[in-house]
Amino acid sequence: MPVSVDIRTALPARELTPLLDDAFSWLRWVDDTFSPVKEDSQIGRLNRSRTIRQIPELIEVLHRCDELSEATGGWFEARINGVIDPSGYIKGWALERLSRALSNAGAGDHRITAGNDVRVRGSAAPGKRWRVGIRDPRKDVVRKVVFANDLGIATSGGAPIVNPRTGEVQQGLGFVTVIGPDLGLADAYATAIYAMGPILARRYAADLAASSPYQTMIVGRDGQEVSTPGLAEYSGAEARLAG
């Protein structure tokens, strides 16, 4: 998947070039380690009952996937029919880790984009928040624009998502976008909420917004949209309660 890294912090080329080289090396390492379709990745080896390396990041991701399964009542599930696939979490997790690394390296003003997942930090320009369009992944049109200095934005619905309770592809929604402080969690929540289908999705999104900083926009197959109230803080649009 194409990934773009937009750094707005003024850095000399001698610092920026190796920083970007390290960023894309990290992303390649993540793909080589966690891809469920690569037979020799650690996930691929685990699914084939082969010896794996004890990588701290692997243990962290698998543990967090188990926690997310519990937190979503099993609607986020990285283990289906004995096969491990952390795809609903790993992309957001990788971009979140990269964003923190860039900030620690002195590049605090940046935007990272991979598909429908975006992580922004700092400013697009002095005194100016980042402007991010939330796109309908099926129609490739912008449904809403959010403005933020520090935010993860994850959208699910562009690729098939399986209902973990039936094993069938969920067809009830258009797409789900979740925003919040950690892109990995936002990514997993968006996947879980989409898998729930229309009725449970609205209820869970409302509960999530009431108990955490994660806000949700749900768009149905008919194009109708519901959003949790906190989304208005970033978009300026009138909020509509998901419930």
Side-chain angles (χ1 to χ4, degrees):
M1 174 179 293
V3 179
S4 67
V5 180
D6 181 356
I7 297 176
R8 299 293 176 89
T9 306
L11 293 174
R14 67 178 183 276
E15 295 181 20
L16 186 60
T17 298
L19 190 61
L20 288 172
D21 287 344
D22 288 346
F24 286 101
S25 292
W26 156 254
L27 293 173
R28 285 190 290 269
W29 179 86
V30 170
D31 187 49
D32 289 341
T33 302
F34 292 96
S35 171
V37 299
K38 292 185 176 182
E39 292 188 9
D40 205 40
S41 74
Q42 296 305 298
I43 294 297
R45 295 178 68 87
L46 196 59
N47 283 331
R48 291 166 178 79
S49 300
R50 296 167 63 188
T51 303
I52 62 170
R53 289 179 286 131
Q54 294 298 312
I55 301 173
E57 291 87 350
L58 178 63
I59 297 171
E60 174 192 340
V61 166
L62 294 178
H63 179 64
R64 181 54 61 88
C65 285
D66 288 341
E67 290 180 336
L68 285 164
S69 176
E70 182 175 353
T72 60
W75 288 104
F76 176 87
E77 186 54 71
R79 306 169 190 261
I80 297 179
N81 298 325
V83 176
I84 299 173
D85 182 357
S87 299
Y89 173 66
I90 195 64
K91 181 172 64 171
W93 172 84
L95 299 190
E96 183 67 33
R97 288 281 295 260
L98 176 55
S99 176
R100 294 175 190 174
L102 290 174
S103 184
N104 290 337
D109 303 303
H110 59 259
R111 168 177 171 157
I112 309 170
T113 305
N116 297 309
D117 287 358
V118 181
R119 183 61 166 95
V120 297
R121 196 184 293 268
S123 302
K128 185 178 180 181
R129 294 182 295 172
W130 290 95
R131 180 183 187 274
V132 181
I134 298 176
R135 290 184 172 274
D136 183 329
R138 298 176 184 273
K139 301 178 181 179
D140 196 31
V141 296
V142 175
R143 286 294 302 244
K144 190 180 293 292
V145 176
V146 297
F147 298 86
N149 295 111
D150 187 357
L151 193 68
I153 303 114
T155 297
S156 291
I161 294 177
V162 173
N163 179 332
R165 302 191 178 182
T166 65
E168 298 179 354
V169 174
Q170 178 60 262
Q171 303 281 356
L173 291 171
F175 71 93
V176 173
T177 295
V178 176
I179 68 173
D182 186 296
L183 182 58
L185 294 183
D187 199 5
Y189 286 138
T191 300
I193 292 170
Y194 187 96
M196 292 175 186
I199 297 175
L200 288 178
R202 295 183 183 188
R203 186 181 308 158
Y204 187 87
D207 290 343
L208 182 66
S211 62
S212 77
Y214 293 87
Q215 304 295 326
T216 304
M217 179 173 74
I218 300 170
V219 176
R221 285 279 178 172
D222 58 0
Q224 294 297 309
E225 171 193 323
V226 289
S227 301
T228 52
L231 200 69
E233 297 179 16
Y234 300 95
S235 66
E238 182 180 356
R240 283 164 285 178
L241 175 63

